[in-house]
Amino acid sequence: MSLKEQLDLQRLPRHIAIIMDGNGRWAKERGKDRLYGHHEGVESVRTIVEGCAELGIGYLTLYAFSTENWDRPVYEVNGIMELLVSTIRKEVSTLSKNNIRLQVIGDMEMLPAQCITELNEAMSLTAQNTGLTLVMALSYSARWEIVNAAKKMAEDAKSGKLDPDTITPQIWQQYLCTRDIPDPELMIRTSGECRISNFLLYQLAYAELYFTNTRWPDFRKEHLYQALLDYQTRERRFGKTSEQIQQNEEIIS
Ligand code: IPE
Ligand code: IPE
Ligand code: MG
């Protein structure tokens, strides 16, 4: 049986989040420039987006560029931004054809003007699509997002729009970039690093974490299926006991 056939289609995550890491090392290992790794990583993005759409996954969030990544050498940052513009331009028709909706989370204002234009166009062109929602995290960091949410909440409280006594996790969520997006059930990080690196800190509270040594440019559908199979062996307890979870499952089935 293929890995795909082994998947329980009733127990797939609604939302998968991926830290696409290892482009630089992948290129270096081949004696190439880091930018070559970023270019090759685009093929993995294409494949994994397609793989998620085929499985009927609702949301895929890809961490493409962090707030901290602005501090990389200018040459690399510029290269990544150019790659972003050309990729969106090339891929927007495929997104539309495949009923995929594009969204962006992060401090978009930090991006070069041309990037913003391309992204806005692609987002409005795909806004009505009802299949997979592809969320690109660009110039994103969770601490930026959380501080931003706190600022907006404080402003709303000051102007009388928000009563501080009514703030709950649900209200807090409305102030995050991911306000209309369910929390990821599965977070994958490629290339061996076992850390979160400022990604979706609030939203990942109960996500299952999956780390693989595979570098992002090598990541293909089979690797995705492997991660999903691993996810399907996990018991998600949300603070309860194993017995409670099993009883609940018996009631449902
Ligand atoms: C991930 O690959 C892509 C970005 C952060 C933009 P890296 O560029 O971090 O690759 P490594 O981790 O240096 O190998
Ligand atoms: C995280 O990768 C950010 C993205 C993949 C966009 P980094 O390569 O920037 O993270 P660190 O520096 O290893 O923690
Ligand atoms: Mg890295």
Side-chain angles (χ1 to χ4, degrees):
M1 237 198 320
S2 72
L3 289 177
K4 192 179 182 188
E5 283 164 351
Q6 289 172 46
L7 287 172
D8 178 351
L9 299 179
Q10 305 308 314
R11 289 181 57 231
L12 289 172
R14 228 177 124 194
H15 183 175
I16 303 174
I18 306 183
I19 301 180
M20 309 185 288
D21 199 16
N23 294 351
R25 276 164 286 173
W26 186 90
K28 254 186 124 181
E29 282 154 10
R30 284 156 183 79
K32 302 262 171 81
D33 186 84
R34 295 177 57 85
L35 279 182
Y36 178 66
H38 297 311
H39 274 92
E40 291 300 301
V42 174
E43 189 50 38
S44 306
V45 171
R46 220 176 270 133
T47 316
I48 297 312
V49 169
E50 191 185 272
C52 285
E54 282 166 2
L55 288 172
I57 303 289
Y59 299 83
L60 171 66
T61 299
L62 297 178
Y63 203 4
F65 195 83
S66 73
T67 308
E68 291 74 20
N69 290 150
W70 288 115
D71 292 332
R72 289 195 179 188
V74 176
Y75 159 78
E76 182 173 345
V77 171
N78 288 348
I80 293 174
M81 291 302 143
E82 279 166 28
L83 184 62
L84 191 60
V85 172
S86 63
T87 306
I88 299 158
R89 207 174 280 160
K90 253 192 259 161
E91 297 299 324
V92 66
S93 59
T94 313
L95 294 181
S96 287
K97 204 174 69 206
N98 294 328
N99 197 21
I100 297 167
R101 178 169 65 134
L102 179 72
Q103 285 194 358
V104 174
I105 56 169
D107 190 0
M108 261 182 83
E109 285 169 28
M110 288 285 287
L111 299 169
Q114 209 188 1
C115 255
I116 300 176
T117 312
E118 292 291 335
L119 284 167
N120 280 334
E121 246 172 63
M123 281 192 286
S124 64
L125 262 166
T126 61
Q128 303 308 321
N129 292 345
T130 54
L132 173 74
T133 298
L134 170 62
V135 184
M136 295 298 292
L138 289 168
S139 190
Y140 172 88
S141 80
R143 286 188 177 173
W144 165 83
E145 177 187 37
I146 290 169
V147 168
N148 220 26
K151 270 192 209 160
K152 278 193 245 155
M153 258 186 270
E155 278 164 19
D156 283 355
K158 208 161 96 182
S159 67
K161 257 204 278 179
L162 177 71
D163 174 0
D165 288 334
T166 64
I167 299 174
T168 58
Q170 286 73 28
I171 298 279
W172 181 278
Q173 213 147 352
Q174 289 306 308
Y175 284 84
L176 297 172
C177 303
T178 50
R179 64 189 70 78
D180 302 317
I181 300 171
D183 288 345
E185 293 96 334
L186 171 64
M187 195 285 281
I188 300 171
R189 180 170 188 153
T190 59
S191 206
E193 246 62 73
C194 298
R195 54 175 169 255
I196 307 279
S197 298
N198 221 345
F199 188 42
L200 300 175
L201 294 179
Y202 189 90
Q203 298 87 337
L204 290 177
Y206 268 104
E208 296 300 327
L209 307 181
Y210 179 86
F211 299 100
T212 170
N213 287 329
T214 306
R215 308 250 186 259
W216 179 250
D218 287 330
F219 198 82
R220 289 293 175 270
K221 286 181 195 174
E222 297 302 307
H223 300 100
L224 173 71
Y225 302 150
Q226 199 78 63
L228 287 166
L229 283 169
D230 191 282
Y231 166 81
Q232 292 187 337
T233 66
R234 315 261 184 114
E235 184 180 58
R236 308 192 68 216
R237 287 193 286 276
F238 301 97
K240 297 201 172 84
T241 67
S242 189
E243 288 74 20
Q244 286 174 298
I245 302 299
Q246 279 157 21
Q247 265 170 16
N248 228 344
E249 276 179 10
E250 278 163 28
I251 294 166
I252 293 165
S253 63

